[in-house]
Amino acid sequence: MREYWTSLASLMGALAFLQGVLHAVFPAELRAAVARLLGRATQAFSPYCYFDVTETEGMSTNEIYDAVQLYLSSTAAPAAGARLSLSRPHNASSFTFGLAASDRVFDTFRGAAVTWEHVVAPRQSQGFSWRPLPEEKRRFTLRIHRGDRDKLLPAYFDHILTSAADIRRRSLDRLLYTNARGGAMDARGLPWDPVPFKHPSTFDTLAMDPDRKAAIMADLRDFADGSAFYERTGRAWKRGYILYGPPGTGKSSMIAAMANYLGYDVYDLELTEVGSNAELRKLLMKTTSKSIIVIEDIDCSVDLTNRADAPPAPTKPRPNIDGTIDQDASAGAARSITLSGLLNFTDGLWSCCGSERIFVFTTNHIEKLDPALLRSGRMDMHIFMSYCSFPALKILLKNYLGLQDDDSDGCAAVMAGLEEWIDAAEITPADVSEVLIKNRRSGRKEATEELLEVVKARAEKRRRESGPATPGKEAGDNEEEEEEKRALESPKEGKKAGMDGPDEETEAKKQP
């Protein structure tokens, strides 16, 4: 054993002496050149290609590094024994995992296997700098087979950037924006005020016929995945939805379900706070991609119903002799939104300044809106939010009472009665929800029986109100209509006679 250690010490001493001789005979530049040559020779015969993604590029950060880090944290499979770092960004709703130093992860793309390694090395001491660099140099090293290079690049990096943006958007809490100040800017130069958007509505809880919900979800998914389609067809990447129907049928819940399904932010545009078309365009320019722009109750916001009866546009105030302008005159000059401005907002050139945006209008009376606002290209999909149907009722019973289809054996008679009366009652999902909320502690059977009584009472009331009219009643209604017509026409005739009277008097006075 002693001889073994003696031999090992002699060998190490010989190696140290040889290293000293090499350092003394061959300068550092020559040794570096030989090392580079050996590295190139090794790479020439290696079946792999290597790509480094550094954390910084000069004095600026490398966006690809952040995208790779976020992509690998959620999609790639870590190697055996890999150590992951746990983090949670600000305003995020989920945790993210990252690679520790010198660990590897494996990924596949288009059938090709790739390997990522996270390399962390200490940075050499730096002199004075206005912007100090991190103490460590970090980079991701990508290793791929040479034969897969054309298959992976640059499509693989495009996939990473797209996936990272989607992960970042879904991990962050969605925001609800409002234009409380009209088009005025805040200290950051933004006209929108954001608040966290935490509406719990989803398509699973939305009271609507399942087939209609599936069609809407498929249309939304086709839109979100349609980047190549819209680019190929030369269309702006946007889509419009008009939600119409009686109050309480779930139009706002539908908007929240759309936002939660796609992971989009919501911009609630209050038209009464916007003073002109220019401010409307300014608000549109400050919206982000992957967002839903909502105008609720558009028929009640501003008068956009009839272009023929629209009042004349206010004229620009003329200056006084001294060059000043009266404040009262300037206040009423060109301070209104026109139908043309709203049409350009949804389908004009300014609507193309962003991508992947959805316009949603809601109204209780779609017949009041101008047809130009409802045509395809502006409102592409018209969604009628109807009264509560039996399939929608079953969803509400599941949400509030936990009543499944296979749990309704004890309530079979009540369910049959609800199925028979629900269409005739014309009751909104909001009214059904209120009944279920009041009786949610009474038990399933008692709650459904109370709901059946309410539905029956509503149906009987509507049947009495819309009962068949008697001939006498129809004649009386016709007489009342004729009287109303005569009452409306009599002021016009009197006014016309009044206008003709002075002309006859004038002619009589002119006669000698």
Side-chain angles (χ1 to χ4, degrees):
M1 190 67 179
R2 182 179 300 177
E3 295 177 356
Y4 171 76
W5 289 108
T6 303
S7 302
L8 181 61
S10 301
L11 180 60
M12 294 180 62
L15 291 176
F17 175 74
L18 180 61
Q19 182 181 8
V21 172
L22 291 176
H23 280 251
V25 175
F26 299 100
E29 293 79 4
L30 181 61
R31 296 196 305 270
V34 173
R36 287 194 298 269
L37 182 61
L38 292 176
R40 291 177 180 176
T42 303
Q43 293 178 3
F45 295 98
S46 175
Y48 298 103
C49 293
Y50 296 88
F51 300 90
D52 291 334
V53 180
T54 58
E55 183 181 14
T56 58
E57 187 68 25
M59 298 299 293
S60 59
T61 58
N62 189 358
E63 295 183 0
I64 302 180
Y65 179 89
D66 297 334
V68 170
Q69 187 175 26
L70 189 59
Y71 170 77
L72 296 179
S73 66
S74 58
T75 57
R83 178 178 296 179
L84 302 178
S85 60
L86 180 64
S87 63
R88 180 175 179 176
H90 177 69
N91 198 28
S93 57
S94 60
F95 296 97
T96 58
F97 297 89
L99 275 178
S102 302
D103 275 329
R104 296 183 179 183
V105 294
F106 306 108
D107 191 21
T108 57
F109 182 74
R110 293 182 177 178
V114 301
T115 303
W116 287 94
E117 182 180 2
H118 191 211
V119 181
V120 180
R123 188 182 299 274
Q124 296 180 356
S125 60
Q126 56 180 345
F128 175 77
S129 176
W130 291 105
R131 185 181 179 183
L133 296 175
E135 297 179 357
E136 296 177 334
K137 296 173 62 177
R138 301 182 180 89
R139 73 174 187 271
F140 284 104
T141 300
L142 172 65
R143 189 187 72 177
I144 62 175
H145 285 274
R146 290 184 180 273
D148 298 333
R149 179 170 180 174
D150 295 335
K151 182 193 302 183
L152 295 176
L153 301 180
Y156 183 49
F157 281 101
D158 294 337
H159 169 69
I160 290 175
L161 293 174
T162 304
S163 301
D166 184 68
I167 295 170
R168 187 180 296 109
R169 186 184 73 253
R170 292 184 179 276
S171 63
L172 295 177
D173 288 336
R174 283 172 290 281
L175 298 176
L176 173 63
Y177 295 87
T178 181
N179 57 319
R181 299 179 307 275
M185 302 288 185
D186 60 2
R188 299 167 297 171
L190 300 176
W192 297 96
D193 289 331
V195 294
F197 181 74
K198 298 184 179 295
H199 200 293
S201 177
T202 62
F203 278 105
D204 293 333
T205 61
L206 190 64
M208 179 182 280
D209 185 79
D211 294 335
R212 295 181 59 200
K213 283 197 296 186
I216 296 171
M217 294 170 64
D219 188 80
L220 291 172
R221 180 50 54 194
D222 290 341
F223 169 79
D225 299 337
S227 176
F229 168 78
Y230 283 93
E231 183 177 358
R232 184 177 68 253
T233 56
R235 292 172 58 93
W237 195 4
K238 63 181 182 63
R239 192 156 179 82
Y241 296 85
I242 178 74
L243 309 180
Y244 66 98
T249 51
K251 291 183 283 293
S252 299
S253 299
M254 169 65 77
I255 297 172
M258 295 168 67
N260 291 328
Y261 179 68
L262 296 177
Y264 287 4
D265 293 334
V266 179
Y267 288 85
D268 186 14
L269 179 58
E270 181 60 46
L271 290 180
T272 57
E273 293 291 334
V274 184
S276 63
N277 295 335
E279 291 184 3
L280 190 62
R281 288 195 298 268
K282 186 188 303 182
L283 289 168
L284 177 64
M285 292 172 60
K286 293 297 181 179
T287 58
T288 60
S289 300
K290 298 182 182 295
S291 60
I292 300 177
I293 303 174
V294 179
I295 302 180
E296 292 193 279
D297 297 325
I298 188 172
D299 56 308
C300 303
S301 299
V302 292
D303 187 12
L304 301 172
T305 56
N306 193 347
R307 286 177 288 181
D309 299 336
T315 58
K316 185 176 180 180
R318 296 182 179 180
N320 299 326
I321 298 178
D322 55 357
T324 61
I325 300 177
D326 296 336
Q327 296 296 329
D328 295 339
S330 61
R335 293 288 296 174
S336 62
I337 302 176
T338 63
L339 179 61
S340 175
L342 187 61
L343 296 179
N344 293 329
F345 175 80
T346 56
D347 193 34
L349 293 176
W350 289 98
S351 65
C352 307
C353 62
S355 61
E356 200 171 351
R357 288 188 299 198
I358 294 177
F359 294 89
V360 179
F361 294 167
T362 68
T363 178
N364 297 334
H365 305 282
I366 193 172
E367 68 278 359
K368 293 184 178 180
L369 300 180
D370 194 284
L373 192 63
L374 304 176
R375 71 164 177 81
S376 299
R378 293 192 176 105
M379 296 294 106
D380 303 287
M381 193 172 186
H382 295 198
I383 303 175
F384 175 61
M385 307 298 292
S386 62
Y387 290 106
C388 188
S389 61
F390 187 68
L393 177 62
K394 291 195 293 184
I395 296 175
L396 293 176
L397 293 175
K398 177 184 176 181
N399 295 340
Y400 290 95
L401 303 180
L403 187 63
Q404 304 286 346
D405 291 339
D406 52 357
D407 297 338
S408 59
D409 296 337
C411 307
V414 180
M415 295 298 294
L418 289 172
E419 185 176 5
E420 178 183 357
W421 291 94
I422 189 66
D423 293 333
E426 292 190 357
I427 186 172
T428 63
D431 294 334
V432 174
S433 301
E434 184 61 27
V435 175
L436 296 178
I437 289 175
K438 291 180 179 179
N439 297 274
R440 67 184 184 276
R441 296 188 182 92
S442 303
R444 296 179 178 177
K445 185 176 181 180
E446 291 78 4
T448 52
E449 289 177 351
E450 177 67 21
L451 178 61
L452 179 58
E453 293 179 4
V454 173
V455 170
K456 280 186 177 181
R458 182 73 63 89
E460 292 292 344
K461 181 180 178 181
R462 291 194 56 83
R463 182 175 298 178
R464 289 193 302 267
E465 292 177 351
S466 60
T470 61
K473 183 178 179 181
E474 292 180 356
D477 293 341
N478 293 334
E479 291 178 0
E480 291 179 359
E481 292 179 0
E482 293 295 334
E483 291 180 358
E484 290 179 358
K485 290 181 180 179
R486 287 194 296 268
L488 293 174
E489 292 176 356
S490 57
K492 297 181 180 180
E493 294 176 355
K495 183 177 180 181
K496 184 177 180 180
M499 293 177 61
D500 295 340
D503 293 338
E504 294 177 359
E505 288 186 9
T506 305
E507 293 295 333
K509 291 179 179 179
K510 289 182 180 179
Q511 295 178 0

